[in-house]
Each structure stands twice: as C-alpha cells, then as structure tokens.
Amino acid sequence: MAAVQDLLLVPLALLALQASLCHGACVELDSDTEAVAMEGFKLGCISCKMRGEVPATASVNWYFKAKDETEFSHLYSFEDQTPEIIDPRFYGRLGWNGSKNTKDLQDGSIYILNVTFNDTGTYECIFSRNLIYTNYEFQTNASKIIVMKVVPRLTRGLASILSEVMMYVSIIGLQLWLVVEMIYCYRKIAAAGEEALRESASRKNSRMLH
Ligand SMILES: *[C@@H]1O[C@H](CO)[C@@H](O)[C@H](O)[C@H]1NC(C)=O
Ligand SMILES: *[C@@H]1O[C@H](CO)[C@@H](O)[C@H](O)[C@H]1NC(C)=O
Ligand SMILES: *[C@@H]1O[C@H](CO)[C@@H](O)[C@H](O)[C@H]1NC(C)=O
Ligand SMILES: *[C@@H]1O[C@H](CO)[C@@H](O)[C@H](O)[C@H]1NC(C)=O
C-alpha cells in the first residue's frame, strides 16, 4: 500500500518541480560585458528572491561611472513599474528589459539602444527589496557591478571575414599541396617501376649473352 502511494507521489513531485521550473525559476546569470558601438546592448542584472514564497516588492536603481570619471552618478530608476532615465547622456536611449507587469522584480536588466564609445565604463545595479511577512517587512539590498567595454562594429566582421578567407586559403592550399604530392609520388613510383623493368631486362640480356 505504501509502495503504491510512493509510486503515485513520483509523478506529482515531477509535476510540482516542472511547475516551479516554468514559473519561479530564477538564475543569476552574469551580464555580457562587451558592447558593439552603434548597436543595442543589454545590461543584465538579476537578483533572485531567496525566499520564493514570500511576497515582495522591489525597485532597481542603476548607477554609471564613465571610464574617465571617479564617482558613480545616478543613471536610471525603476520603481512601481515606472522607468525613469536620470542621466541626460542616456535620454531616449535606455529601455527596460527586466521583469514586466509585477512589483516583485527579480530581473532589473536595462537596454542601451545605441551604444557609443562614451558609454564605456562601470555600471552598478542596486536592488532594494522589501519582503512582506504577515507582521513585518524586511528590507534587503543587492548590488551587481558590470564593467562594460565598447568595441567598434567592424572588428568582429573583419575578424570573421579574415578567418573565412584564411579557411579558404588553407583548404585550397592543402588541396594543391595534396595534388602536387600525388603527382610527385606517382612520378617517383613510375620511375622506380621503369628502372626495375630496365634492370630485369638488362639482366635477362646479360644472361642470354653468357
Ligand atoms: C529590451 O528593450 C528594448 C528597448 O526598449 C526592446 O526593443 C527589446 O524588445 C527589449 N527586449 C526584451 C527581451 O524585453
Ligand atoms: C546612433 O548614434 C550615432 C551617433 O550618436 C548616430 O549617428 C546614429 O544615427 C544612431 N543610430 C540610431 C539607430 O539611432
Ligand atoms: C563623447 O564625449 C565627448 C567628450 O565628453 C563629447 O565631445 C562627444 O560629443 C561625446 N560623443 C557622443 C557620441 O556622445
Ligand atoms: C537599501 O537601500 C536603501 C536605498 O536604496 C537604503 O535606504 C537602505 O538603508 C538599504 N538597506 C540596507 C539593509 O542596506
């Protein structure tokens, strides 16, 4: 009887696992750090709620320190589902890429629409989270640092074109070398064969003379 119950529990447990994977699964992936000039770039920042079952609200603030600056300045804030770009250098160039339609944010990523070389620098994202228990609230903060570097758009294209050319050159080169080698071997073998024929013929001739 107990065994039957256990057997019934396995699919239920799997189902529950699947449900939790589909819904609440939160993984703190690191952000990319290399942006390409004039293209879009996602600054990733994920902070998983340690107690998944406890309701919470969170706000996210981003700070930016350009390559030649020494202090962080306030870049962006997202609170109560309201985004605000604070740094004028980024007006019209930042979009929200984090959790949508919830105050319980776990993904605070933002998106730079058109990266310029001036965007090179250090970004900090700070999560302020209020865990709401029945009788009290508990505040936790989490922060992530991203050091972002901007590369020109061409390097990748150029590198891949170069590597493609190199690939063809090496393939054609290898095949030419193979053909040359084959001709060389063929000639050598043919010459050796002729030599052997001539030798045996001359031996026969000399035997006949004696
Ligand atoms: C990220 O934000 C950009 C700009 O707002 C938008 O075009 C893009 O669709 C967003 N991507 C996701 C996955 O939300
Ligand atoms: C991106 O920015 C550059 C320089 O700031 C500008 O020339 C270009 O038109 C912009 N591209 C887009 C798609 O906004
Ligand atoms: C980058 O910064 C320099 C100096 O601060 C400024 O002159 C230039 O216009 C900026 N370029 C862009 C594309 O914002
Ligand atoms: C979390 O950050 C907020 C401001 O964003 C600050 O007022 C609060 O004291 C911080 N809490 C902790 C526990 O560090």
Side-chain angles (χ1 to χ4, degrees), residues 1-117:
M1 191 63 201
V4 172
Q5 266 173 352
D6 281 352
L7 273 180
L8 281 175
L9 280 179
V10 169
L12 276 181
L14 282 179
L15 213 71
L17 188 70
Q18 196 186 21
S20 74
L21 280 179
C22 288
H23 293 285
C26 177
V27 179
E28 298 199 357
L29 290 175
D30 280 338
S31 177
D32 279 342
T33 56
E34 194 174 282
V36 180
M38 316 259 276
E39 286 182 8
F41 181 76
K42 179 174 169 179
L43 280 161
C45 178
I46 297 173
S47 164
C48 295
K49 202 162 60 168
M50 290 308 159
R51 307 287 305 268
E53 71 285 1
V54 178
T57 62
S59 64
V60 175
N61 282 289
W62 281 87
Y63 298 84
F64 172 57
K65 188 175 75 174
K67 194 172 54 192
D68 52 354
E69 289 172 352
T70 50
E71 307 251 321
F72 279 98
S73 59
H74 202 172
L75 168 64
Y76 184 89
S77 93
F78 192 89
E79 194 165 2
D80 290 334
Q81 299 186 47
T82 313
E84 188 186 352
I85 302 170
I86 292 150
D87 191 326
R89 287 173 290 184
F90 288 85
Y91 281 167
R93 295 203 296 132
L94 284 183
W96 177 249
N97 265 182
S99 310
K100 292 181 180 74
N101 305 320
T102 175
K103 285 185 181 179
D104 192 355
L105 309 172
Q106 297 202 87
D107 185 347
S109 306
I110 54 175
Y111 191 85
I112 307 177
L113 284 169
N114 187 358
V115 171
T116 73
F117 284 99

Side-chain angles (χ1 to χ4, degrees), residues 179-196:
V179 167
V180 167
E181 195 78 343
M182 268 165 65
I183 290 172
Y184 175 75
C185 279
Y186 177 77
R187 283 205 173 153
K188 218 171 159 181
I189 289 167
E194 264 169 37
E195 186 90 344

